[in-house]
Amino acid sequence: MGYIIAVAGKGGTGKTTIASLLVLWLKLQKKGSILAVDADPNSTFAQILGVEENESIGQIIEDIAKNPDLVPGGMSKDHFIEYRIQENLSETEGFDFLAMGRPEGPGCYCYANNVLRGIVKKLVSNYNFIIIDNEAGMEHLSRRTTRSANCLLLISDYSLMGIRSAKQIKGLIKDLDIQIKRYGLVINRVLRQNHQELVKEINDFGADFIEYIPEDQNLLELSIKGLPLTKLNQNSPLLTAVENLGRKLWQ
Ligand SMILES: Nc1ncnc2c1ncn2[C@@H]1O[C@H](COP(=O)(O)OP(=O)(O)OP(=O)(O)O)[C@@H](O)[C@H]1O
Ligand SMILES: [Mg+2]
């Protein structure tokens, strides 16, 4: 069984950045096979990781809905969708990538979500590590894209509101009975630590571990140019913090 890490948090706090840095760190560590999953319909994971995306689950579902004749005789539609998804995994050197995408048409992403959930469940046994980048907020939790994970990383900015918002997400998970073994609180874009107002809130959070990620000028420059994280300066303070986070995750 693979080790599932899900990343969640308020919009723009750094979920995709941290999920990507963990994928790249794991790849360097050569700890085992990795699947990166983009569960955000408004996705940027592939771009930030610097991988070329193949067809997303949304596109595959749409394609088959429009062309039902594609399904070979004797095969169920669900089976064919699954087969196409497996075939379309973006395989890069060091990790594979799968995106939920944005299914078109009216209504919700429920069907794509269900397919994603089903496929993740199956793929879990094929990979050592599965890293899921979620969309912002809490709605995906209500839709229960993530039903269980070995670790949920709650990303917050360095603010009281941010930490309280991450705590709300944690509360909702308990209410929804989603199975999470460990909670990590990741406070991102930290300029200076030890503000008394935040220390209490952080201590009361109930995280199994906490990591502080500094604000990083090199990253800012990359995002201005739209470059992937693989181009990050190797002396970036961000990389030391991610290494610490990785060690806490798997210690
Ligand atoms: N530690 C950091 N230092 C500097 N810039 C950062 C840091 N972390 C994230 N950023 C920048 O903040 C922006 C938002 O980051 P990111 O896209 O990872 O957030 P997100 O939580 O995935 O957003 P969304 O909710 O839209 O999915 C990006 O431009 C990213 O480069
Ligand atoms: Mg994101």
Side-chain angles (χ1 to χ4, degrees):
M1 278 299 246
Y3 190 97
I4 302 181
I5 301 169
V7 181
K10 190 154 80 81
T13 45
K15 296 177 290 298
T16 308
T17 302
I18 288 160
S20 306
L21 287 166
L22 274 175
V23 168
L24 298 173
W25 181 76
L26 269 172
K27 173 182 155 176
L28 274 179
Q29 297 294 306
K30 297 194 167 44
K31 278 172 173 280
S33 54
I34 308 163
L35 176 67
V37 177
D38 190 346
D40 184 352
N42 194 1
S43 58
T44 53
F45 203 12
Q47 260 168 282
I48 294 185
L49 273 172
V51 297
E52 225 171 274
E53 262 183 282
N54 284 348
E55 274 189 308
S56 68
I57 293 182
Q59 286 166 326
I60 291 172
I61 291 173
E62 213 182 296
D63 189 31
I64 295 174
K66 278 187 188 150
N67 308 290
D69 295 348
L70 290 174
V71 183
M75 203 187 224
S76 74
K77 185 176 125 196
D78 283 359
H79 246 103
F80 185 56
I81 289 176
E82 230 182 85
Y83 162 79
R84 285 275 303 270
I85 292 170
Q86 299 261 14
E87 201 187 45
N88 271 284
L89 280 174
S90 305
E91 290 172 13
T92 71
E93 208 184 306
F95 61 91
D96 291 352
F97 180 87
L98 172 68
M100 188 175 87
R102 188 204 304 267
E104 279 184 12
C108 66
Y109 302 127
C110 302
Y111 186 63
N113 270 326
N114 285 342
V115 174
L116 180 70
R117 194 160 49 220
I119 199 107
V120 168
K121 214 166 158 186
K122 287 204 175 138
L123 289 173
V124 161
S125 47
N126 295 352
Y127 292 89
N128 297 106
F129 303 100
I130 297 105
I131 299 183
I132 308 176
D133 178 28
N134 285 295
E135 69 185 295
M138 306 206 269
E139 220 210 309
H140 63 95
L141 292 170
S142 315
R143 283 194 254 115
R144 310 188 69 184
T145 321
T146 309
R147 286 231 166 132
S148 68
N150 295 77
C151 185
L152 181 76
L153 289 182
L154 288 160
I155 318 294
S156 170
D157 53 18
Y158 189 62
S159 76
L160 199 61
M161 297 297 180
I163 295 161
R164 286 187 180 155
S165 159
K167 202 170 180 180
Q168 270 184 344
I169 298 180
K170 185 166 173 270
L172 180 67
I173 285 170
K174 287 240 155 76
D175 292 346
L176 290 172
D177 199 26
I178 295 171
Q179 303 300 311
I180 305 288
K181 293 212 178 90
R182 293 174 85 207
Y183 287 93
L185 173 63
V186 179
I187 304 184
N188 189 22
R189 310 196 75 160
V190 177
L191 292 166
R192 179 167 69 85
Q193 284 186 32
N194 286 331
H195 284 92
Q196 278 314 309
E197 301 86 338
L198 296 187
V199 170
K200 186 175 178 315
E201 201 71 23
I202 293 168
N203 288 340
D204 290 348
F205 190 89
D208 295 299
F209 60 91
I210 299 163
E211 188 58 54
Y212 295 87
I213 311 265
E215 171 75 24
D216 193 315
Q217 193 61 32
N218 297 314
L219 177 55
L220 206 68
E221 278 158 26
L222 281 191
S223 60
I224 288 169
K225 292 179 188 151
L227 291 171
L229 278 171
T230 43
K231 305 268 186 232
L232 193 65
N233 187 323
Q234 288 310 299
N235 300 321
S236 290
L238 199 57
L239 293 178
T240 317
V242 168
E243 173 139 14
N244 291 337
L245 175 62
R247 303 221 180 280
K248 283 179 188 167
L249 265 164
W250 288 288
Q251 67 187 196

